[in-house]
Every structure is written in C-alpha cells, then in structure tokens.
Amino acid sequence: MSSTPPSGQSSTQRDWVPAPVPAPDTAAALAAVRAVVDAGPFTDTWESLAAYEVPQWFRDAKFGVFVHWGVFSVPAFGNEWYPRNSYTPGSREFEHHRAVHGDHADVGYKDFIPRFTMDRLDPAGLAQLFRRAGAQFVVPVAEHHDGIALYDEPRTRWSSVNVGPHRDLLGDVLDACDEQWLVRGASTHRAEHWFFFHPGRSFPSDVRDDAEFADLYGPAMPQSTGPTEAYLEDWLLRTVRIVDRYRPQVLWFDWWIEHPAFEPYLRTLAAYYYNRAAQWGRGVVLQHKWKAFPEGTAVLDVERGSMAGTHPLPWQNDTSVSRTSWGWVEGHEHKSVVDLVGELVDVVAKNGCLLLNIGPKPDGTVPAEEVALLEGVGAWLQLFGEAVYGTRPWTVPGEGPTAVPQGSFTDQRPLGYTFADLRFTQRRDVGSTSVYVLGVVRPEDGVVRVRSFGAASALSPGDVSSVHLIGTPAPLHVERTDDALLVTLPSPLPEAAAAVPGFALRLTVPDPAAPAPRALLLPDMMGGG
C-alpha cells in the first residue's frame, strides 16, 4: 500500500484504493431477516416490542466505556464532524482544510484514510484499561457518519478490513474485552451518512467531481430529503451484520433514526435483535435518542445530559471525557475526575447508566490525559463501587443547592458541585437495607449533613443501626437532629479514600419485620448425628 500524499499536495497515488465489491444479494438477505422476525418470540409491531424487558445485567452495570475512533482522528481538528464541516464553506474546518491540507478538489477526506493506521492498537491493553476504569460494558463505534465501517462489512469496500488498518477493529477489541469479562457492545451512526457529505456538492471538490469515490461520499443528499428504500435496506442489513457477527449485548443508535422513513425498519431491526438474543440466551439493550422508539420498547439515551429526577425505566447518559469532541483532536478541553464522578453518581441515583467516551489517536493509542481520567474514575469505583454497582434508586435521587439541567447537551461547563450536593442509592438485603450517600466534594469540617435523613424529614429512612465510610471497618460518629443526620468522616481519612474525590457512606437500616438471624448450628445439635 502506498503512503498518503503529504498535507497540501495533490492526491495522485491511488493504488491503496480497494476494488469495488460485488453487488450484494439484498433480496436474499432481507428474506433471511424476515425469517428470523417471523420465528419470534417478538414480531415487528410496537405492541409486541412493548413486551421487551431491560435485562438485570444492565440494571446492575451502571458504567460502560464508549470508543469514538475513526479517520476523523487524522486531521484531528474541530471534532468528529470534520468530514462534513471541512466541506462546509465558511466554517473553521473548511478554512483549516484549505490552509493545511490543500484544495478540496485535490485533497479530500478520502486522502486521510491511509493515515488511519491503528498500527499501535493493543486490544488486550485497551480492554485492561477499561477494566481498571471499572467499566462493565464497552461500546466501540462500528461505523460513524463518514461511511467507513470499522468492522468486517461485506456490503462496502470502505471498511477497516480493506483500507487503513487492514484489520477488523471492532472484532479485535471485542474479543479482547471478552477476556476481561466485559459485556460486548457496538454503536452505529450510519443513518446520518445519507446527508453527511452533502455540503461538498456545492463547490468543486472530490465529493462532487471524483466519481471514483461516489460510493464513499454518497448519497450526500440534502438532509431535507428523506432516505430511499434502497438506502434503508442497506442500513438495516449493515446493522444485522453487526448483530450476527459480533453479538453485541448493547446496540447503540445515534440520532436521525427518528426520521419517519426509518420507522418500519426500526421495528424490523428491534424484533430481529431481540429474537437473536433469545436464541443466544442473552439479555440485550437497544439504545436510542429522542423518541425514535416508543417508551418501554428500548432504552432511552440522553446525550451529554441528565434527567430532572428519577426515571421509572432504566436509561443512559452518554457523555465524553472531553467537552470538545468525541473523537481525538488537538487541544481537547477535558473534564476532571470530579466532573466525571459527579455525572456518574447523578445518573445512577436517577436509575440510569453512564456511558463514558474516549477517543483514540489514529495510531490506536489512547491519549495520556484520557487514560488518567479513566483510571481516576476506576480508583473511585474500586473504593466506593458498592454504592453504585447493583444498586437501585432511593426515594429521592439526592439533595443540594446545585441544579442539574434536564435534557441533552448540558455538560458544556462544570456544574460546580458543593459539599452539600449529595446523591442517594440503595441496596435491599435480607433483614436490612443499605442506603448510600454519595458526594464528590468533602466538607471542610469533616461533617456530612444529610438533610433528607433528619428526624423531622418525611423522607427519613427511620432507625439507622450503623453508618460506615465504605472501605473502612469502624462505624462513624453520628448525630441526628430534626434538620439533618450529621456524620463525621474519619480524621485523617484512610489513604485510599483521601486519594479520590468525595465520599460514599453506607447507612444500614434494619427491617423491623425481619426475623432474627438463625444460628447456623444450634447448641443442642452440637456433636449430634
């Protein structure tokens, strides 16, 4: 394979371009999909899909890692929408492209493909990083808006198997995640490819004028023009390929599938996925944004945002370690560990899971800052994860002066949590309930004041038999006034607790109706036969 032309020079070397693939037999593939749908147990009606139940493993998992990788990490400018924005006259990306890489008719997005090598990708090391982060599931991008499949997709020549890395990126990483007991996932952003490169048709560029790459850049239609039947069938069959070849237990969709044209295909895809999962004997989670799926037929995902209160159904916040971009760019504005832990505990307290994104560089390495952030969250979970994994929401999600905005795209600046901002979870055990109090900022005087648990509060859980800082054996000093439950943290803090943000307390609330624990060996049975 030839090397790519230097930035700013005309792209004339094309021996890296793969040969076109034979036309697929779409009719036969659709018939195979229909056979799986017809076999049940789900049919492709919303009434049938309403019988879907979120699996226990997802309710317990609480935390996963998202991976945005792709050719957009080569120019590493702006964000992962560089493929579109660089063809949009007047944008920063457009001017940057011309200044750094050259005229769009000579050097286009296609010319970054050979430089997306992933030659330093270490799937085993990546999976180990995710495990250190405390993740329970992993969702790598299978295909982004740019039309380049990062998995083995026979319907296109533009896959990572044929160009760039010349390897099955998705498969390699998911196989390594299996070794770390991480649940497999995959995301597809393919729907938006219908319109993604359309700005490149408005001026002389390789999108408009180079027929050799029409199958890469196309359809490049106006967003106002709905997708055709052929495009929708291709979208469905590409997604089915991901389901069948990689068996993800999380299937994440980006936006635009809520376009009305997708509706019958979404029903077919959901029935197919749920029926395949029934064959595998695995619980699966199909995730969507906005109102692409009716409530209860799949799991709602809120991008970079939260709920105002506890949601009755499990949901997810997908966000990133960076406020700037999902994919790798130069000059990221990264969040802090405090920011990320704050997002995690807020989501979990409201019956959700957090899917936290990182963006590898085009050689496959994870930026050092992002490794440190993942490991920082992992250190917090290693110590305080008891208050997160496997828990359920308490009566209210929390208390405190800091308002968390409801909806998507609300993480553009730190919320500025204080020591009075607390979140609650619970775990029901035989004979008692553990109620957890989580905070990301420790009070300067070492006293945690839980106003919801004051003696006069209608929310008070009742008698508390003991209070512990998770990870320490000795119970803490507690006072209860009408206004608050006052818990004094250890001084000094244990080294592990001092090294991570905030705290997590366990309050043990006995169940007065529970029988006394039975001795395992009664006295009159000792020595008996």
Side-chain angles (χ1 to χ4, degrees):
M1 185 181 77
S2 67
S3 61
T4 196
S7 295
Q9 293 188 13
S10 176
S11 172
T12 56
Q13 289 278 78
R14 295 193 174 182
D15 56 352
W16 61 270
V17 176
V21 298
D25 188 343
T26 296
L30 290 173
V33 170
R34 173 48 55 187
V36 172
V37 172
D38 289 345
F42 289 91
T43 64
D44 53 345
T45 66
W46 293 127
E47 292 76 14
S48 175
L49 296 169
Y52 167 76
E53 294 184 3
V54 179
Q56 184 81 14
W57 75 260
F58 184 74
R59 292 174 179 266
D60 292 344
K62 307 303 183 187
F63 181 51
V65 172
F66 212 176
V67 183
H68 269 68
W69 47 9
V71 174
F72 44 75
S73 64
V74 174
F77 183 84
N79 57 39
E80 73 286 349
W81 274 54
Y82 186 92
R84 178 178 173 87
N85 294 338
S86 64
Y87 287 98
T88 304
S91 71
R92 287 192 318 125
E93 291 86 350
F94 182 89
E95 299 304 329
H96 171 86
H97 189 92
R98 285 200 165 179
V100 175
H101 303 293
D103 190 274
H104 293 76
D106 295 325
V107 181
Y109 187 69
K110 67 182 184 304
D111 297 298
F112 297 124
I113 294 174
R115 293 163 58 188
F116 179 61
T117 63
M118 302 299 277
D119 55 305
R120 297 178 63 191
L121 175 67
D122 174 12
L126 200 60
Q128 289 166 358
L129 171 62
F130 300 155
R131 173 54 72 199
R132 293 198 303 277
Q136 302 299 298
F137 59 101
V138 177
V139 184
V141 169
E143 182 176 340
H144 209 257
H145 315 322
D146 60 1
I148 300 171
L150 305 177
Y151 65 100
D152 185 6
E153 175 52 73
R155 297 185 67 83
T156 179
R157 58 177 170 159
W158 302 108
S159 76
S160 62
V161 174
N162 297 324
V163 296
H166 288 270
R167 64 189 293 187
D168 181 350
L169 297 178
L170 180 66
D172 288 352
V173 168
L174 291 183
D175 286 348
C177 288
D178 290 345
E179 298 298 319
Q180 293 295 324
W181 300 92
L182 297 166
V183 175
R184 289 173 163 240
S187 77
T188 172
H189 313 236
R190 172 71 185 176
E192 298 96 304
H193 186 63
W194 171 260
F195 61 81
F196 203 59
F197 284 101
H198 179 253
R201 293 194 179 279
S202 66
F203 65 96
S205 75
D206 57 342
V207 173
R208 190 189 76 176
D209 302 322
D210 197 331
E212 185 174 2
F213 297 95
D215 60 331
L216 170 64
Y217 293 132
M221 295 294 288
Q223 188 177 342
S224 58
T225 303
T228 61
E229 184 176 53
Y231 186 80
L232 292 163
E233 291 172 348
D234 181 77
W235 172 87
L236 173 65
L237 294 175
R238 287 182 185 232
T239 311
V240 163
R241 171 71 171 183
I242 295 169
V243 168
D244 286 344
R245 183 171 180 83
Y246 302 97
R247 295 194 175 191
Q249 287 183 252
V250 175
L251 183 60
W252 187 98
F253 286 112
D254 204 355
W255 69 294
W256 216 60
I257 60 170
E258 66 272 12
H259 189 288
F262 280 90
E263 192 269 349
Y265 297 86
L266 294 181
R267 286 189 280 107
T268 299
L269 186 281
Y272 185 90
Y273 185 40
Y274 295 162
N275 289 348
R276 280 297 197 210
Q279 295 172 2
W280 306 335
R282 292 284 187 270
V284 298
V285 178
L286 192 159
Q287 298 171 342
H288 70 100
K289 297 178 182 177
W290 311 111
K291 295 183 179 181
F293 284 79
E295 187 172 74
T297 61
V299 172
L300 177 65
D301 178 271
V302 180
E303 182 173 355
R304 291 186 179 272
S306 188
M307 299 281 186
T310 303
H311 196 269
L313 296 174
W315 62 284
Q316 181 174 270
N317 168 17
D318 73 294
T319 190
S320 184
V321 296
S322 166
R323 302 185 197 279
T324 317
S325 172
W326 294 87
W328 162 250
V329 296
E330 299 285 352
H332 265 304
E333 180 190 348
H334 285 106
K335 298 175 182 178
S336 68
V337 174
V338 171
D339 294 330
L340 299 175
V341 172
E343 288 183 287
L344 174 63
V345 300
D346 180 72
V347 167
V348 170
K350 295 172 180 176
N351 203 27
C353 289
L354 182 70
L355 181 60
L356 181 62
N357 176 74
I358 60 165
K361 295 181 178 182
D363 65 359
T365 58
V366 179
E369 302 92 333
E370 302 190 6
V371 171
L373 288 171
L374 284 184
E375 292 181 336
V377 174
W380 190 93
L381 282 166
Q382 180 68 27
L383 184 61
F384 296 140
E386 177 192 328
V388 172
Y389 301 125
T391 61
R392 297 294 181 265
W394 193 63
T395 309
V396 294
E399 64 180 44
T402 303
V404 177
Q406 181 176 8
S408 303
F409 304 105
T410 60
D411 71 339
Q412 296 308 301
R413 59 186 60 86
L415 289 177
Y417 282 121
T418 72
F419 64 85
D421 290 299
L422 306 174
R423 294 295 180 267
F424 308 133
T425 61
Q426 67 175 327
R427 183 192 311 277
R428 296 188 183 276
D429 298 310
V430 177
S432 66
T433 297
S434 295
V435 179
Y436 299 101
V437 179
L438 304 98
V440 296
V441 178
R442 290 188 285 268
E444 291 185 4
D445 64 359
V447 179
V448 179
R449 295 165 175 82
V450 191
R451 302 197 179 278
S452 298
F453 297 171
S457 171
L459 298 172
S460 175
D463 293 335
V464 175
S465 61
S466 64
V467 179
H468 289 79
L469 176 69
I470 294 178
T472 59
L476 303 179
H477 177 70
V478 176
E479 295 182 38
R480 196 174 213 162
T481 68
D482 284 347
D483 293 332
L485 184 74
L486 285 66
V487 182
T488 302
L489 297 174
S491 182
L493 281 172
E495 183 178 352
V500 299
F503 55 88
L505 306 176
R506 182 201 311 115
L507 283 65
T508 302
V509 180
D511 180 357
R518 182 179 178 182
L520 295 181
L521 193 63
L522 299 178
D524 62 352
M525 292 176 60
M526 295 183 67

